[in-house]
Amino acid sequence: MLHPDIQLRALEKPSRIFFSVTVLLAVLALRPSRKALWAGLIAGTAGGAVFICYQRWGLGIDRPGGLINSITFGDIALCMGMMCLAAVLDFKGKQVLWPALGALAGLLGSVASGTRGGWVAILFAAVLFIKYGHFLRSRVSKVLALLVVVLLVSTYFIDGTGTRGRVRQGVYDVTAYFDGTVRLTNVGVRLELWKGGLALAARHPWRISTHKEIRAELEQEVAAGRLQPFVLEAEHFHNDMMHVLVYGGIPGLLVYLFTMLAPFLFFLRILKTHESASPAVIAPALAGMLLVTGYFSFGLTEVIFWSILSTMFYVQMLFLLMGFCLNAQDERIAP
């Protein structure tokens, strides 16, 4: 706000995020049913999977993204699927098949989009489920969680999914970049941008910079032969932490890390202090942890908060889950 070159429109996204706290207030005041949240999540994930699969195998689009960017779609679909898996805890008997369907749909939607960045999120999710697997008290829940992992691995061996090709392409891109053969690849562009981002951040580790200033510095690096010209075509640095470090310096990076750590610790505290709590508390808390870790891992290879759509999905879902956790706590201690 104090920088002379920052335009007022730069405050649009932060202000939307700030006012999204009204979602939390609405949940606390109206106390909606958790089943409505889970039903909407399952229906949305399944509907998205059907549409993206139609684009991929019906229309023959190589990297479909629904009505948005393919990476953003794949990441959000996977995130919704992981939250559906957490919702399994809040269902009984044969009803667990519904959130299980949502979890499988999220995985399928991600695979169909060809997004590789989400694979890191799956590793984080696996760690969480290993750590808190004791919450999956029923045998059916454990079997469903295992089934999701098996299906994910199996996509590598099924040619029609394209997973194997994406893995091999990624390995080739990294190898070609470091041996200097080819640098203009999907992974090569990211590696070159991260190299440039570190160089720019080292110049001004504490300064807040504008797009105009960063553009001029990138042009200097390209003119000096230290960076490839294609970095000038990128809108961002394809890494959330790198992007905020370049534009906001170390203070910006610390703010970003705090905004990810604070909600994670909120949900973690609920899980640690309610070991014997009902699924009403555990399910939204675990879903919240999966949401935060998912977005953090997406941001390792993409600026997931660049899109206002993906940003608002994260923030509003975060406040929704926080509200349901707080409501469930109140119900648990009520006389």
Side-chain angles (χ1 to χ4, degrees):
M1 293 179 67
L2 300 178
H3 198 290
D5 294 329
I6 292 182
Q7 299 178 351
L8 188 61
R9 66 184 181 185
L11 301 178
E12 178 193 358
K13 188 184 297 183
S15 63
R16 289 193 184 196
I17 294 173
F18 176 78
F19 288 115
S20 291
V21 73
T22 55
V23 173
L24 172 60
L25 300 178
V27 174
L28 295 178
L30 302 177
R31 309 185 74 84
S33 168
R34 292 187 318 279
K35 297 299 183 182
L37 171 65
W38 301 138
L41 196 61
I42 295 167
T45 308
V50 170
F51 185 48
I52 202 72
C53 288
Y54 169 70
Q55 285 189 315
R56 175 68 185 275
W57 291 290
L59 300 179
I61 301 176
D62 184 51
R63 292 294 307 279
L67 303 177
I68 57 177
N69 177 274
S70 61
I71 297 177
T72 304
F73 181 95
D75 288 343
I76 292 178
L78 180 61
C79 191
M80 292 173 68
M82 292 191 300
M83 288 190 289
C84 285
L85 193 58
V88 168
L89 297 171
D90 210 9
F91 287 75
K92 297 180 180 180
K94 294 182 179 180
Q95 289 185 341
V96 299
L97 294 177
W98 290 112
L101 173 64
L104 296 177
L107 176 62
L108 183 59
S110 178
V111 170
S113 69
T115 304
R116 290 177 296 199
W119 299 346
V120 181
I122 295 174
L123 296 178
F124 279 104
V127 172
L128 287 177
F129 272 100
I130 291 173
K131 174 66 176 178
Y132 299 103
H134 57 280
F135 287 122
L136 297 172
R137 296 183 177 94
S138 71
R139 182 179 300 177
V140 176
S141 299
K142 295 178 181 179
V143 170
L144 290 174
L146 180 61
L147 179 61
V148 170
V149 176
V150 172
L151 289 176
L152 173 65
V153 175
S154 67
T155 61
Y156 179 85
F157 301 98
I158 302 175
D159 293 333
T161 63
T163 302
R164 188 189 311 169
R166 295 288 289 163
V167 171
R168 291 178 176 176
Q169 184 64 45
V171 173
Y172 169 79
D173 289 354
V174 173
T175 304
Y177 176 84
F178 284 106
D179 66 18
T181 305
V182 181
R183 293 195 170 182
L184 186 55
T185 62
N186 288 334
V187 178
V189 169
R190 284 168 168 77
L191 293 173
E192 191 74 0
L193 284 168
W194 297 345
K195 172 185 172 183
L198 288 174
L200 267 56
R203 286 187 181 187
H204 40 76
W206 302 100
R207 190 188 82 191
I208 295 176
S209 306
T210 64
H211 177 73
K212 184 178 180 180
E213 291 170 336
I214 297 302
R215 174 76 182 190
E217 292 178 350
L218 283 175
E219 290 176 348
Q220 292 175 8
E221 293 291 311
V222 170
R226 290 188 289 268
L227 291 177
Q228 297 295 319
F230 56 73
V231 298
L232 299 176
E233 301 176 11
E235 293 182 304
H236 49 69
F237 285 87
H238 280 280
N239 180 289
D240 271 320
M241 288 189 289
M242 183 67 69
H243 192 78
V244 297
L245 179 63
V246 171
Y247 281 92
I250 294 177
L253 178 60
L254 292 176
V255 169
Y256 168 77
L257 292 175
F258 175 77
T259 59
M260 302 303 291
L261 183 62
F264 182 84
L265 292 178
F266 171 87
F267 295 118
L268 179 62
R269 180 176 177 273
I270 290 177
L271 288 180
K272 283 190 173 182
T273 56
H274 296 81
E275 288 288 331
S276 59
S278 69
V281 177
I282 300 303
L286 184 56
M289 291 182 70
L290 290 169
L291 173 68
V292 176
T293 55
Y295 262 71
F296 176 79
S297 57
F298 299 151
L300 296 177
T301 55
E302 181 67 19
V303 180
I304 189 64
F305 290 108
W306 180 263
S307 164
I308 188 66
L309 186 150
S310 60
T311 299
M312 297 310 295
F313 172 83
Y314 171 81
V315 176
Q316 295 188 48
M317 184 60 70
L318 186 70
F319 282 129
L320 272 173
L321 293 171
M322 283 183 169
F324 279 108
C325 286
L326 294 175
N327 285 348
Q329 281 183 301
D330 291 343
E331 294 170 0
R332 186 169 180 265
I333 63 177

